[in-house]
Amino acid sequence: MAVASVRRAERPTPILGRRPVPLVIDLDGTLLRTDLLLEGAVSLLRQNLLMLFAMLLWLPRGRAYFKRKVAERAVLDIATMPANAALLAHIEAERAQGREIVLATAADELMALKVMQAFPVFDRVVASDGVKNLKGAAKAAQLATLYPQGFDYAGNAAADLPVWARAQNIIVVEAPRGVARAARALGKPVQEFPAASRLRALAKGLRLHQWAKNGLVFLPLLIGGKAGEPAAWGLAAAAFLALGLVASASYLLNDLLDLPHDRAHWSKRERPLASGRLPLPAGIAATILGLAGGLAVALAAGPAVLVGVLAYLALTLTYSAWLKRVPMLDALTLGSLFTLRIAVGVAAVSVAWSPWLLTFSMFLFTSLSFAKRHTELRGAAKRGRSGKLSGRGYQSADEPVVLAFGIAAGLASVVIFILYLANEAFRHAVLAAPLALWVFPMVLVLFMGRVWLLAGRDELHDDPVAFAVKDRPSLALAGIAGLAFGIAAFGLPQGFLAGWGL
């Protein structure tokens, strides 16, 4: 069977003279900053996890057959896929000069035709047909047969080297350095479209700034009377690292599962995976390594820490797969994830459980979660989008309810912390200076007031935690709170007290 090839109706050539050789464009990683086969596989798993077993049955019948089956069943929105804007501009300029533009891809024909419909710059599509996989040498031979007069080729991977060897001119699009070096070594004219730093994109995708949340694991150590024990600090640090690795991997996994919604979102479409700056294979590999590394560190910190981290992971996955689309419950789940961090800290350093502290955490972070939803609803309304929030269960009419619940939860957290001080903190001898904790309710009121005030002004970042780590007043309040906790745990230096005649 011949490899699939589809041509548009002929169009007139706007220039006179000899027509230039066709410009052939690769699809995955070149025209689109993604891989349609992986996109399709993730789409199937998003619909039904049991499709994994079906895909395992398709694989032994060959890569082309596997691609065809995925293409037949996957639901992909090609229009929202991240395209290489610079390359597209080059293609359009060349097409205006009368060049034939060809999409040649190892992706299945069914997917390639959808791309042809979404990007009308292409005159012809050459793709895999369910029997033959059009990749590497097979693609090179097919193009040499179709265009004996020659062609120029734009690609991005090592598999494109045989095609570049047959091409007249080489176009290297955001390729790894080794691939670009090998392409230049072919001794032909080379045009390059350089890639942005993928390491920077990976760091952004891992949400390393979110590791600040994991600082909650040190809270039980400070208020539980073990602040002076180096071994306790080591265990808490291990719990911090384990949660950080698992949380970063969970963020990437959530982004993988939420790709269609992120690409339709006004700000989330700039996330590394949604924008294509972080390739899907790299995102998947980082997810696996992060989960494995985090669970290994948790096990080293102790069985109780491992159980806590596994509970955190299970709740995160449940949230990503289902709970984030359930109004109100989604915010409560996010509050629970913060509270689990404190529970992991309790398990790591083996201090007594504090129901007051855990309840305080639940209400505080549920309030911040509502602030995030409130900001998203305001942003959607501001951009003229009515109806449901993409990927969530909220509607624009829910904004007043979200606002009320968010502020109420924030004020409740202040009241609960005061009850914690009165009923627990001041009755235990584990703290050196518990009266210093009275600073915290005042700091909390100021912080929550600032968050909701800026939310009402549309000046709050989507994520209040990301906002807090960059906002100077919030950082100043955090410093005051940290100083108060330090004084509560260790007391004031003797020299300081003597200087005041105490």
Side-chain angles (χ1 to χ4, degrees):
M1 181 182 292
V3 174
S5 177
V6 179
R7 182 187 290 274
R8 287 188 193 272
E10 292 292 339
R11 59 186 174 90
T13 304
I15 59 173
L16 299 176
R18 182 183 177 186
R19 188 167 184 167
V21 298
L23 174 59
V24 183
I25 308 295
D26 181 39
L27 175 55
D28 295 328
T30 303
L31 175 68
L32 296 180
R33 288 192 176 102
T34 188
D35 185 303
L36 287 186
L37 180 60
L38 281 176
E39 292 270 0
V42 172
S43 173
L44 294 181
L45 293 175
R46 193 184 299 118
Q47 298 169 37
N48 187 348
L49 286 175
L50 295 179
M51 287 302 299
L52 175 63
F53 298 103
M55 287 190 280
L56 291 175
L57 293 176
W58 299 337
L59 273 173
R61 300 189 62 175
R63 194 168 179 83
Y65 180 85
F66 179 80
K67 291 179 179 180
R68 172 55 57 95
K69 288 300 181 182
V70 171
E72 288 174 344
R73 291 163 173 78
V75 179
L76 299 178
D77 186 358
I78 301 296
T80 63
M81 297 283 179
N84 190 311
L87 179 63
L88 265 178
H90 175 73
I91 292 171
E92 290 170 351
E94 293 297 307
R95 190 172 193 266
Q97 296 298 314
R99 295 191 75 175
E100 180 182 2
I101 310 297
V102 181
L103 181 65
T105 174
D108 188 81
E109 178 191 14
L110 299 180
M111 286 190 175
L113 288 176
K114 293 179 181 178
V115 174
M116 189 180 189
Q117 292 172 355
F119 298 92
V121 295
F122 294 103
D123 302 298
R124 186 174 193 170
V125 164
V126 183
S128 301
D129 61 359
V131 176
K132 186 174 182 179
N133 187 33
L134 195 71
K135 186 174 183 179
K139 183 191 287 188
Q142 182 70 14
L143 291 174
T145 300
L146 290 173
Y147 303 106
Q149 77 277 19
F151 58 90
D152 295 344
Y153 181 73
N156 74 299
D160 294 314
L161 288 169
V163 190
W164 281 323
R166 298 277 192 108
Q168 291 185 0
N169 294 283
I170 295 171
I171 303 173
V172 180
V173 182
E174 298 187 353
R177 291 181 181 178
V179 172
R181 192 181 308 114
R184 289 191 291 268
L186 293 173
K188 299 181 179 183
V190 176
Q191 180 179 0
E192 295 191 42
F193 290 81
S197 172
R198 290 181 177 175
L199 185 61
R200 185 177 302 172
L202 176 60
K204 186 175 180 181
L206 292 173
R207 318 280 216 286
L208 296 179
H209 64 276
Q210 298 283 9
W211 282 40
K213 300 175 181 178
N214 300 329
L216 291 170
V217 301
F218 295 101
L219 188 57
L221 180 148
L222 291 173
I223 64 178
K226 293 196 173 184
E229 300 181 16
W233 281 97
L235 290 171
F240 175 88
L241 178 60
L243 278 171
L245 291 171
V246 169
S248 288
S250 300
Y251 285 127
L252 287 175
L253 181 59
N254 178 71
D255 289 350
L256 286 167
L257 296 176
D258 216 22
L259 274 178
H261 300 299
D262 283 353
R263 287 169 177 161
H265 192 273
W266 61 276
S267 65
K268 294 180 181 179
R269 65 188 177 192
E270 297 301 326
R271 286 178 173 176
L273 284 171
S275 66
R277 291 192 298 272
L278 178 63
L280 286 183
I284 293 172
T287 300
I288 294 172
L289 291 174
L291 290 175
L295 294 177
V297 173
L299 179 61
V305 175
L306 178 61
V307 170
V309 172
L310 285 172
Y312 174 89
L313 177 61
L315 187 56
T316 299
L317 296 179
T318 306
Y319 172 81
S320 298
W322 171 53
L323 293 177
K324 66 183 177 184
R325 288 182 284 275
V326 182
M328 314 305 284
L329 185 56
D330 65 330
L332 188 62
T333 302
L334 290 174
S336 300
L337 288 172
F338 280 97
T339 304
L340 265 174
R341 290 174 167 92
I342 296 179
V344 169
V346 170
V349 299
S350 302
V351 297
W353 292 86
S354 171
W356 288 108
L357 188 61
L358 296 176
T359 307
F360 155 74
S361 171
M362 176 70 73
F363 276 87
L364 171 64
F365 293 108
T366 297
S367 176
L368 294 179
S369 302
F370 276 124
K372 181 177 181 179
R373 292 292 177 261
H374 177 265
T375 302
E376 290 175 341
L377 286 167
R378 296 269 296 196
K382 192 174 181 180
R383 287 159 183 80
R385 298 180 181 179
S386 58
K388 290 187 175 182
L389 197 63
S390 178
R392 302 293 184 265
Y394 292 94
Q395 301 179 11
S396 56
D398 298 333
E399 182 192 341
V401 177
V402 172
L403 175 66
F405 269 79
I407 294 176
L411 293 175
S413 70
V414 178
V415 174
I416 293 169
F417 193 83
I418 292 173
L419 292 173
Y420 158 71
L421 293 179
N423 291 281
E424 185 171 312
F426 296 153
R427 296 187 178 184
H428 293 80
V430 295
L431 294 175
L435 286 175
L437 293 179
W438 278 115
V439 173
F440 194 80
M442 294 182 286
V443 168
L444 187 60
V445 168
L446 292 173
F447 173 70
M448 297 302 297
R450 179 167 177 78
V451 165
W452 285 103
L453 189 67
L454 295 181
R457 295 176 179 176
D458 293 331
E459 297 178 9
L460 183 67
H461 191 280
D462 271 7
D463 187 340
V465 175
F467 156 80
V469 298
K470 299 176 183 178
D471 179 58
R472 290 185 178 180
S474 298
L475 290 173
L477 290 172
I480 293 171
L483 180 62
F485 272 116
I487 294 173
F490 299 104
L492 288 169
Q494 292 298 319
F496 180 88
L497 295 175
W500 287 86
L502 299 176

